[in-house]
Amino acid sequence: MKKPASALAASLALSTFLVACGGGSDSDVADQTSRLTTSVSDDTQFFNRVATFAVCEQIGSSCEARVKTAAEIVAASADGMTLIYTNSPKGEVGFVDITDPSTPTALGALAMGGEPTSITVKGDYALIAVNTSNGDFVNPAGKLVVVNIATRTVAHTIPLGGQPDSIAISKDGKYVAVVIENERDEEAGDGRPTQLPGGKLTIIDSVGAPSTWQTRDVALTNLAMLYPTDPEPEYVSINDNNVAVVTLQENNHIVQVDLATGKVTRDFTAGKVSLSQIDLSYVKDVPTEVSLTESLSDRLREPDGVTWVSTSQFVTANEGDLDGGSRGFTLFNSDGSVAYDAGNTMEHLMARIGHTNDKRSAAKGNEPENVAAGRFDRTDYLFVASERSSVLAVYDMSQANAPAFKQVLPSAQAPEGVLTIPSRNLVVTASEETKPDAGKPSVFAALNVYQYQKAAPKYPTIESTNRADGTPIPWSALSGLAAAPTGSLMYAIDDAFFKGNRIFEIDTSTKPAKLQREIRITDPNGVIAAFAVSASLPAGPDAAAFDVTDATAMVNADKSVNIDPEGIAVASEAYGGGFWIASEGAVGESNNLIFKVSAEGVIQNIIQLPAGVNALETSNGFEGIAESGGKLVVAFQLPWKTETHARIGVYDLSTQSWSFLFYPLDVPTSPNGGWVGLSEIMALGANRFAVIERDNQAGPDATVKKIYRIDLTGKADGTVLTKTLVRDLLPDLRATKGHVLEKIEGLTRLANGDVYIVNDNDGLDKGSGETQLIKLGQIFN
């Protein structure tokens, strides 16, 4: 039965949670040890994303403006119908109507007169911490801006004695705690503490009208062993007993403060963690992959986000800063003892679902930034946001001291804030990363809305099984699909983001699909070296051409290879089985090549383009391959040099000769410009093929993601083909309720006729890492 508005507001006042990191708040931390019932696990309900709101929609519905925005910290009005988020690049807070959570609607923004760092809600008011230091690290300043949510106007302003970061309000509304970080200048000296003034905690006695509120300061100096005179408090959470827990990230310390008295009641080190079976290596252009074979000893936790989960326990997100970061989270008892530590489990989770950000492996890995807690129906959940892997991990807290992994949710890039609204069965993440880039794929800051449902989890769509050593098969950057001749298996490949390329076997009979086998592409017989000689490549090095030196660099010491697989096809038994791999070239570095490999991944033969065609090469070459009727057919992504159309190359396996047709591409229609090209080709039989045609745009900028059919029957060399639209993929991509993904690069059809597509997540190099393997059904007659 629907509650009356007053009852709903009262209920939400007891059950709305807000937690945000790097400046954040924790509103109404209910459901702690005062819970009336014990948490009970529920395997019938899961969280699923129901909407994504791009912050740029506040500027224009299609995000045409190339303006840097952010959504860092998010709070909800008392009735849970309006979201308020901080947008520091624009110095404002934004308002979003989520009366219908599946259709967030922009309500406008309000300037703050500084950089908003965090937000919480008290009754009719949003309380926003604003940094007004203007880059002055010696004389930091800030203010608390009290905003009437209904009218979206400033009701009152309270000066703060320093640069604020996180903010929280007590459940009874008596106290607001504001972390005054007074962050250091990372460009000064070696960028490390000590840089005074140090930080502190400010308590605001918030009974009565905002104009009557008073502030009290709590000193945090001389508590931590690291940089004791320069505390840098990061985050605050308040429990039901009005005790605030404060993380001092750079100091690797945790402090508890009784808000009624303003006294520090406890403080202790956040401690250290030793980790094994993690990946610590990434060096640009050096052969590498996610190895999960390395170890770290005595790594400082350096916690960022924190949330109480009871009056006697709290959880920290151990992001790290100076010398630390444990790549996980920790459940602490209030006396400072550790009840549970996640160890390497979050790193393994990211590897299993294709979200390892390998470029961060040598730093702090997935970087858990933020934690939140909430009871949904009868179950207590913990939410952990990974900044670098762009996911929200969910844990069932029903068993004491043993958080149990529940599921993982995709987020827009770099989630910073997490808000839980249990009375509406909603969770919201605020993602700060934004990269407006004219003509190229942009990254959009966003709010993701998730709903607790009696439904199976929709993400991930692919997860890997374990290797022999018990670690998950790491994968990412899938580029190309090929179905097995029978059954539910398909094959994918990783592209040039990784060295030591692999073929992956994926079983689609389960949900999520199981990536159950990795096949390393190798050259133990020196086929590449022999090819370099037979092809008469320049002795090199030749900066203007693919040469012997370039070819030699393709092969690693262990005989694995570094190519750029962009297409894969299963080779028929007539040609010895195994696979055909289309490797995209790069001008002056490599040619576009077809590799014939065995079922075990051993290179057997190499096919190159005619010299005259190679002379036209650009960096957008092979993007898919199919075998049909004794021929290999490859799709070129874009027209080469002065050509008007993209090529479709046809290689006759019996005569070992090439012919070429031309494909007319759609005209770019994105408001961000860019290009439209081919990214996959699949054989349909009877000399017909399906291709993916897409633009190089994502999110609101994406306008072309299509499957077309072409017929090569009777077409002479040089013919410009005609094409027939089979499916516009934009509705399928929008159905995931996330940003439209840019690189739809895999297309295949199982033996039963079911068609699948998959995107290339670029190894998280340019986006959130989300991978969607989407079943389209039997769309071809």
Side-chain angles (χ1 to χ4, degrees):
M1 185 176 78
K2 185 177 180 181
K3 295 181 180 180
S6 58
L8 177 61
S11 173
L12 282 161
L14 293 175
S15 60
T16 299
F17 293 71
L18 169 63
V19 180
C21 189
S25 60
D26 180 329
S27 172
D28 299 329
V29 183
D31 294 347
Q32 297 176 1
T33 53
S34 59
R35 295 179 182 124
L36 297 178
T37 58
T38 303
S39 176
V40 178
S41 297
D42 185 347
D43 61 2
T44 69
Q45 298 191 81
F46 292 86
F47 297 90
N48 282 306
R49 185 173 55 194
V50 295
T52 296
F53 175 84
V55 173
C56 53
E57 291 181 46
Q58 295 280 18
I59 304 169
S61 60
S62 298
C63 294
E64 293 90 349
R66 300 294 110 183
V67 177
K68 188 171 184 178
T69 60
E72 294 167 302
I73 311 305
V74 61
S77 57
D79 63 2
M81 299 297 175
T82 303
L83 299 178
I84 313 102
Y85 63 89
T86 60
N87 184 348
S88 61
K90 295 203 71 184
E92 65 186 27
V93 292
F95 301 82
V96 180
D97 181 356
I98 58 164
T99 303
D100 178 355
S102 67
T103 312
T105 305
L107 293 175
L110 180 64
M112 288 289 99
E115 175 195 2
T117 62
S118 187
I119 184 170
T120 191
V121 167
K122 176 179 169 60
D124 296 332
Y125 300 108
L127 313 180
I128 300 110
V130 180
N131 177 14
T132 58
S133 303
N134 294 317
D136 188 340
F137 294 95
V138 177
N139 302 290
K143 59 184 179 180
L144 181 74
V145 179
V146 182
V147 172
N148 185 300
I149 297 172
T151 63
R152 298 193 287 280
T153 57
V154 175
H156 188 61
T157 299
I158 299 173
L160 298 173
Q163 172 253 313
D165 197 339
S166 170
I167 183 173
I169 190 168
S170 62
K171 178 181 174 181
D172 59 16
K174 290 183 178 180
Y175 308 105
V176 175
V178 184
V179 161
I180 305 298
E181 183 181 12
N182 291 341
E183 64 186 351
R184 69 193 186 280
D185 182 358
E186 296 184 10
E187 302 300 321
D190 61 3
R192 302 172 68 89
T194 301
Q195 294 182 29
L196 300 181
K200 59 187 176 181
L201 181 70
T202 294
I203 301 170
I204 301 174
D205 297 306
S206 53
V207 176
S211 60
T212 67
W213 296 354
Q214 299 295 316
T215 63
R216 295 178 280 138
D217 287 344
V218 179
L220 302 175
T221 53
N222 299 316
L223 297 175
M225 294 182 65
L226 294 173
Y227 319 114
T229 62
D230 188 12
E232 287 196 37
E234 193 77 26
Y235 185 87
V236 60
S237 177
I238 305 171
N239 70 13
D240 285 2
N241 293 336
N242 289 341
V243 174
V245 58
V246 182
T247 57
L248 281 62
Q249 185 173 33
E250 290 79 0
N251 310 90
N252 196 44
H253 210 71
I254 296 170
V255 176
Q256 293 175 34
V257 177
D258 182 281
L259 296 178
T261 64
K263 302 294 186 182
V264 173
T265 57
R266 280 178 171 148
D267 73 279
F268 40 82
T269 178
K272 302 175 181 179
V273 177
S274 293
L275 302 171
S276 62
Q277 292 186 315
I278 60 173
D279 182 38
L280 300 176
S281 303
Y282 178 80
V283 181
K284 187 177 180 181
D285 297 329
V286 174
T288 184
E289 65 171 88
V290 179
S291 62
L292 301 179
T293 59
E294 296 168 289
S295 300
L296 271 177
S297 296
D298 296 330
R299 184 77 164 179
L300 300 180
R301 286 191 172 95
E302 292 187 349
D304 194 339
V306 63
T307 185
W308 289 97
V309 294
S310 73
T311 53
S312 61
Q313 289 187 315
F314 58 86
V315 176
T316 60
N318 304 326
E319 178 200 25
D321 189 352
L322 296 172
D323 305 300
S326 71
R327 305 175 184 229
F329 62 93
T330 303
L331 175 64
F332 283 95
N333 297 313
S334 58
D335 63 4
S337 59
V338 173
Y340 173 87
D341 191 275
N344 64 14
T345 59
M346 286 195 69
E347 289 288 272
H348 286 193
L349 171 63
M350 304 314 160
R352 190 178 304 282
I353 64 171
H355 276 259
T356 294
N357 191 332
D358 194 39
K359 286 191 173 182
R360 301 297 302 173
S361 292
K364 291 170 286 186
N366 76 89
E367 290 190 30
E369 172 105 0
N370 171 24
V371 283
R375 169 169 285 196
F376 288 78
D377 287 351
R378 298 185 302 159
T379 310
D380 298 329
Y381 290 110
L382 172 71
F383 303 86
V384 184
S386 168
E387 180 183 14
R388 299 296 183 174
S389 291
S390 298
V391 297
L392 186 67
V394 186
Y395 297 84
D396 183 339
M397 300 293 285
S398 298
Q399 185 173 344
N401 302 329
F405 175 70
K406 171 81 171 179
Q407 65 179 117
V408 63
L409 298 163
S411 174
Q413 192 166 349
E416 180 92 0
V418 183
L419 164 71
T420 69
I421 315 174
S423 62
R424 294 200 66 200
N425 280 335
L426 298 178
V427 178
V428 181
T429 59
S431 292
E432 65 173 336
E433 189 71 22
T434 178
K435 294 177 182 176
D437 197 345
K440 298 180 181 180
S442 297
V443 174
F444 298 92
L447 302 174
N448 281 130
V449 183
Y450 312 93
Q451 190 173 59
Y452 194 48
Q453 307 171 333
K454 283 192 175 295
K458 297 179 181 178
Y459 199 82
T461 58
I462 302 173
E463 65 178 18
S464 67
T465 57
N466 285 346
R467 288 171 165 171
D469 65 358
T471 64
I473 299 172
W475 63 274
S476 198
L478 302 184
S479 186
L481 287 179
T486 60
S488 60
L489 295 182
M490 64 173 59
Y491 299 92
I493 47 176
D494 58 10
D495 66 18
F497 180 82
F498 292 105
K499 309 299 182 181
N501 302 110
R502 294 171 293 165
I503 299 167
F504 301 109
E505 182 181 89
I506 301 172
D507 183 358
T508 63
S509 67
T510 64
K511 282 192 174 182
K514 296 291 184 185
L515 190 154
Q516 62 188 22
R517 184 180 170 215
E518 56 185 331
I519 305 168
R520 184 80 59 188
I521 302 175
T522 60
D523 185 23
N525 302 316
V527 174
I528 290 177
F531 164 77
V533 174
S534 64
S536 300
L537 298 183
D542 185 337
F546 180 46
D547 55 44
V548 171
T549 300
D550 296 323
T552 302
M554 285 183 169
V555 184
N556 302 314
D558 64 356
K559 302 304 179 183
S560 64
V561 299
N562 309 324
I563 58 177
D564 188 8
E566 294 287 348
I568 182 172
V570 175
S572 63
E573 291 302 321
Y575 302 101
F579 305 94
W580 304 103
I581 306 295
S583 178
E584 187 176 27
V587 176
E589 297 178 12
S590 62
N591 287 157
N592 290 265
L593 302 170
I594 298 173
F595 292 86
K596 172 62 171 62
V597 304
S598 71
E600 293 75 34
V602 176
I603 295 174
Q604 299 171 319
N605 189 27
I606 300 174
I607 300 169
Q608 65 173 329
L609 290 167
V613 177
N614 271 335
L616 302 172
E617 182 184 27
T618 69
S619 293
N620 297 90
F622 288 171
E623 281 287 330
I625 187 168
E627 181 200 317
S628 182
K631 295 181 175 62
L632 299 178
V633 182
V634 291
F636 291 49
Q637 187 163 65
L638 293 176
W640 277 9
K641 290 201 174 174
T642 58
E643 294 179 335
T644 304
H645 303 295
R647 288 179 179 244
I648 300 292
V650 181
Y651 184 78
D652 189 312
L653 288 163
S654 61
T655 63
Q656 300 182 19
S657 61
W658 284 95
S659 60
F660 297 94
L661 307 169
F662 290 92
Y663 181 95
L665 294 165
D666 285 1
V667 175
T669 55
S670 171
N672 195 38
W675 50 256
V676 173
L678 297 176
S679 61
E680 176 68 296
I681 189 166
M682 175 184 75
L684 297 173
N687 222 19
R688 298 181 307 154
F689 297 84
V691 297
I692 291 178
E693 188 174 344
R694 65 167 181 87
D695 57 20
N696 68 330
Q697 302 297 311
D701 288 337
T703 60
V704 179
K705 313 288 181 189
K706 299 176 181 179
I707 298 176
Y708 282 100
R709 184 175 62 245
I710 55 177
D711 191 337
L712 308 190
T713 304
K715 300 300 187 296
D717 189 31
T719 298
V720 178
L721 299 167
T722 58
K723 60 186 184 181
T724 302
L725 179 65
V726 175
R727 192 179 185 99
D728 184 349
L729 295 174
L730 284 175
D732 300 291
L733 297 170
R734 290 172 178 148
T736 68
K737 304 302 181 181
H739 286 318
V740 172
L741 300 169
E742 179 212 352
K743 290 189 172 183
I744 313 305
E745 298 213 340
L747 172 69
T748 196
R749 181 172 61 172
L750 297 179
N752 68 359
D754 284 337
V755 174
Y756 286 80
I757 58 171
V758 76
N759 69 292
D760 174 2
N761 73 2
D762 268 332
L764 286 78
D765 187 30
K766 301 174 183 175
S768 68
E770 183 170 337
T771 297
Q772 290 286 347
L773 177 68
I774 299 175
K775 179 180 176 181
L776 303 180
Q778 299 181 9
I779 64 173
F780 293 103
N781 297 326

mmCIF file of all heavy atoms in Angstrom, residues 561-578:
data_model
loop_
_atom_site.group_PDB
_atom_site.id
_atom_site.type_symbol
_atom_site.label_atom_id
_atom_site.label_comp_id
_atom_site.label_asym_id
_atom_site.label_seq_id
_atom_site.Cartn_x
_atom_site.Cartn_y
_atom_site.Cartn_z
ATOM 1 N N VAL A 561 53.077 -13.576 -28.938
ATOM 2 C CA VAL A 561 53.211 -12.541 -29.958
ATOM 3 C C VAL A 561 52.445 -11.282 -29.578
ATOM 4 O O VAL A 561 51.464 -11.322 -28.828
ATOM 5 C CB VAL A 561 52.739 -13.043 -31.338
ATOM 6 C CG1 VAL A 561 53.572 -14.231 -31.787
ATOM 7 C CG2 VAL A 561 51.263 -13.384 -31.334
ATOM 8 N N ASN A 562 52.917 -10.168 -30.141
ATOM 9 C CA ASN A 562 52.294 -8.863 -29.931
ATOM 10 C C ASN A 562 51.759 -8.370 -31.264
ATOM 11 O O ASN A 562 52.473 -7.747 -32.048
ATOM 12 C CB ASN A 562 53.310 -7.858 -29.386
ATOM 13 C CG ASN A 562 54.052 -8.381 -28.181
ATOM 14 O OD1 ASN A 562 53.492 -9.088 -27.352
ATOM 15 N ND2 ASN A 562 55.331 -8.030 -28.073
ATOM 16 N N ILE A 563 50.526 -8.701 -31.544
ATOM 17 C CA ILE A 563 49.892 -8.242 -32.775
ATOM 18 C C ILE A 563 48.674 -7.409 -32.376
ATOM 19 O O ILE A 563 48.503 -7.073 -31.204
ATOM 20 C CB ILE A 563 49.521 -9.431 -33.694
ATOM 21 C CG1 ILE A 563 48.587 -10.420 -32.987
ATOM 22 C CG2 ILE A 563 50.795 -10.146 -34.149
ATOM 23 C CD1 ILE A 563 48.136 -11.581 -33.866
ATOM 24 N N ASP A 564 47.849 -7.054 -33.326
ATOM 25 C CA ASP A 564 46.643 -6.290 -33.009
ATOM 26 C C ASP A 564 45.419 -7.025 -33.539
ATOM 27 O O ASP A 564 44.828 -6.634 -34.537
ATOM 28 C CB ASP A 564 46.717 -4.880 -33.590
ATOM 29 C CG ASP A 564 45.560 -3.998 -33.122
ATOM 30 O OD1 ASP A 564 44.794 -4.436 -32.242
ATOM 31 O OD2 ASP A 564 45.421 -2.875 -33.650
ATOM 32 N N PRO A 565 45.021 -8.109 -32.862
ATOM 33 C CA PRO A 565 43.871 -8.882 -33.349
ATOM 34 C C PRO A 565 42.592 -8.054 -33.297
ATOM 35 O O PRO A 565 42.202 -7.564 -32.241
ATOM 36 C CB PRO A 565 43.807 -10.062 -32.381
ATOM 37 C CG PRO A 565 45.147 -10.132 -31.746
ATOM 38 C CD PRO A 565 45.604 -8.706 -31.659
ATOM 39 N N GLU A 566 41.950 -7.879 -34.434
ATOM 40 C CA GLU A 566 40.684 -7.150 -34.494
ATOM 41 C C GLU A 566 39.566 -7.998 -35.089
ATOM 42 O O GLU A 566 38.425 -7.539 -35.151
ATOM 43 C CB GLU A 566 40.853 -5.869 -35.323
ATOM 44 C CG GLU A 566 41.770 -4.836 -34.699
ATOM 45 C CD GLU A 566 41.154 -4.138 -33.497
ATOM 46 O OE1 GLU A 566 39.934 -4.301 -33.283
ATOM 47 O OE2 GLU A 566 41.889 -3.447 -32.771
ATOM 48 N N GLY A 567 39.891 -9.202 -35.508
ATOM 49 C CA GLY A 567 38.868 -10.090 -36.042
ATOM 50 C C GLY A 567 39.289 -11.531 -35.879
ATOM 51 O O GLY A 567 40.487 -11.848 -35.878
ATOM 52 N N ILE A 568 38.306 -12.402 -35.691
ATOM 53 C CA ILE A 568 38.579 -13.827 -35.538
ATOM 54 C C ILE A 568 37.493 -14.615 -36.255
ATOM 55 O O ILE A 568 36.321 -14.236 -36.254
ATOM 56 C CB ILE A 568 38.648 -14.229 -34.045
ATOM 57 C CG1 ILE A 568 38.981 -15.722 -33.900
ATOM 58 C CG2 ILE A 568 37.378 -13.846 -33.301
ATOM 59 C CD1 ILE A 568 39.264 -16.147 -32.467
ATOM 60 N N ALA A 569 37.902 -15.701 -36.900
ATOM 61 C CA ALA A 569 36.964 -16.623 -37.534
ATOM 62 C C ALA A 569 37.457 -18.036 -37.278
ATOM 63 O O ALA A 569 38.670 -18.288 -37.216
ATOM 64 C CB ALA A 569 36.864 -16.359 -39.039
ATOM 65 N N VAL A 570 36.532 -18.948 -37.096
ATOM 66 C CA VAL A 570 36.893 -20.355 -36.945
ATOM 67 C C VAL A 570 37.230 -20.905 -38.316
ATOM 68 O O VAL A 570 36.453 -20.763 -39.266
ATOM 69 C CB VAL A 570 35.738 -21.145 -36.307
ATOM 70 C CG1 VAL A 570 36.066 -22.630 -36.264
ATOM 71 C CG2 VAL A 570 35.458 -20.625 -34.891
ATOM 72 N N ALA A 571 38.400 -21.507 -38.435
ATOM 73 C CA ALA A 571 38.820 -22.086 -39.718
ATOM 74 C C ALA A 571 38.147 -23.437 -39.909
ATOM 75 O O ALA A 571 38.087 -24.249 -38.980
ATOM 76 C CB ALA A 571 40.338 -22.233 -39.761
ATOM 77 N N SER A 572 37.649 -23.673 -41.100
ATOM 78 C CA SER A 572 36.981 -24.944 -41.383
ATOM 79 C C SER A 572 38.001 -26.078 -41.440
ATOM 80 O O SER A 572 39.212 -25.853 -41.584
ATOM 81 C CB SER A 572 36.219 -24.860 -42.705
ATOM 82 O OG SER A 572 37.116 -24.641 -43.779
ATOM 83 N N GLU A 573 37.513 -27.308 -41.320
ATOM 84 C CA GLU A 573 38.395 -28.477 -41.335
ATOM 85 C C GLU A 573 39.135 -28.609 -42.663
ATOM 86 O O GLU A 573 40.222 -29.189 -42.716
ATOM 87 C CB GLU A 573 37.592 -29.743 -41.042
ATOM 88 C CG GLU A 573 37.081 -29.838 -39.610
ATOM 89 C CD GLU A 573 38.209 -29.775 -38.589
ATOM 90 O OE1 GLU A 573 39.286 -30.366 -38.849
ATOM 91 O OE2 GLU A 573 38.029 -29.124 -37.546
ATOM 92 N N ALA A 574 38.558 -28.061 -43.722
ATOM 93 C CA ALA A 574 39.231 -28.112 -45.021
ATOM 94 C C ALA A 574 40.574 -27.399 -44.990
ATOM 95 O O ALA A 574 41.467 -27.684 -45.806
ATOM 96 C CB ALA A 574 38.335 -27.493 -46.097
ATOM 97 N N TYR A 575 40.717 -26.481 -44.052
ATOM 98 C CA TYR A 575 41.966 -25.728 -43.922
ATOM 99 C C TYR A 575 42.664 -26.033 -42.603
ATOM 100 O O TYR A 575 43.438 -25.228 -42.097
ATOM 101 C CB TYR A 575 41.688 -24.228 -44.074
ATOM 102 C CG TYR A 575 41.032 -23.927 -45.399
ATOM 103 C CD1 TYR A 575 39.659 -23.708 -45.478
ATOM 104 C CD2 TYR A 575 41.768 -23.936 -46.579
ATOM 105 C CE1 TYR A 575 39.045 -23.474 -46.699
ATOM 106 C CE2 TYR A 575 41.165 -23.706 -47.803
ATOM 107 C CZ TYR A 575 39.804 -23.487 -47.863
ATOM 108 O OH TYR A 575 39.207 -23.271 -49.084
ATOM 109 N N GLY A 576 42.367 -27.203 -42.060
ATOM 110 C CA GLY A 576 43.078 -27.684 -40.879
ATOM 111 C C GLY A 576 42.497 -27.249 -39.562
ATOM 112 O O GLY A 576 43.093 -27.494 -38.500
ATOM 113 N N GLY A 577 41.323 -26.605 -39.547
ATOM 114 C CA GLY A 577 40.730 -26.143 -38.304
ATOM 115 C C GLY A 577 41.542 -25.016 -37.684
ATOM 116 O O GLY A 577 42.395 -24.397 -38.317
ATOM 117 N N GLY A 578 41.291 -24.742 -36.434
ATOM 118 C CA GLY A 578 41.956 -23.627 -35.772
ATOM 119 C C GLY A 578 41.238 -22.328 -36.042
ATOM 120 O O GLY A 578 40.000 -22.288 -36.120
#
